[in-house]
Amino acid sequence: VIVVLWFVLNVVAQFVPIIGGLAMALLYAVFVAGLLLVCAALERGESLEIGHLFAGFKSNTGSLIGLGACYLAAIILWAIIVGVLVVSGAGGLEIFTDPESIYPTAIFSSGALVGVLISLLLFILIMMMFWFAPALISLGGVPLIESLKMSFSGCLKNILPMFIFGLTMSVLAVLASLPFFLGWLVLMPIGMAAFYTTYRSIYTD
């Protein structure tokens, strides 16, 4: 139910042009913190409440919103870099000024493919920085900048398990999307629980 509520909030926000999407992007870490606090409450044997989703607004809210702003800025910068690398590798600005110059061989040239690989590597590095940051801030009380450092370090030290975890979740995400995305009703709660226990295993146990 909490996952459905979060999904509905995201959908409703999209009806507010620009501002809605921007607000949800800035608040992403706040809501992730709420879902993590749900897991922590269940682990302590407490009753599950709908209000747990908004628990991220009760503490460390400024740091969580700041984390959302940093993530948004990082993704925008990454998208710009991706555009520059791919366009440069595919033949430069000529693909815009001279559309007839676009050939499949140019799009899939070695330069374009190298650009894609570099972009993928940059995206992985960004995700390593932000992956555990919401948990470190909301559950561990870690300052914003330190949370980014600790998240990256935690992912790097556990790179193989994290790779297997990411690959497994990617396969499950595809399967969950097949029956009209209904599988996400199961995968999302399980994924958050797995995310929480991963955080506990690396940083607290």
Side-chain angles (χ1 to χ4, degrees), residues 10 14 18 21 23 33 38 58 73 78-79 98 129 137 145 192 204:
N10 278 278
Q14 303 310 313
I18 302 177
V38 166
K58 296 181 180 180
W78 173 79
D98 184 14
M129 288 179 57
I137 292 174
I145 301 302
M192 289 307 303
T204 63

Side-chain angles (χ1 to χ4, degrees), residues 53-104:
L53 177 61
F54 305 98
F57 290 96
K58 296 181 180 180
S59 62
N60 302 309
T61 308
S63 295
L64 291 170
I65 294 176
L67 180 63
C70 290
Y71 181 71
L72 180 61
I75 291 299
I76 292 174
L77 179 60
W78 173 79
I80 294 173
I81 294 174
V82 168
V84 171
L85 289 175
V86 174
V87 170
S88 299
L93 296 178
E94 289 184 3
I95 65 174
F96 298 109
T97 58
D98 184 14
E100 294 182 358
S101 66
I102 303 177
Y103 297 100

Side-chain angles (χ1 to χ4, degrees), residues 32-33 36 60 63-64 67 128-155 195 199-200 202-204:
V32 170
L36 290 168
N60 302 309
S63 295
L64 291 170
L67 180 63
M128 289 172 65
M129 288 179 57
F130 288 92
W131 187 253
F132 288 112
L136 289 165
I137 292 174
S138 60
L139 300 176
V142 178
L144 172 57
I145 301 302
E146 187 64 23
S147 71
L148 296 174
K149 296 178 182 178
M150 290 179 63
S151 177
F152 186 86
S153 176
C155 290
F195 177 38
Y199 159 79
R200 292 275 291 156
I202 294 176
Y203 296 99
T204 63

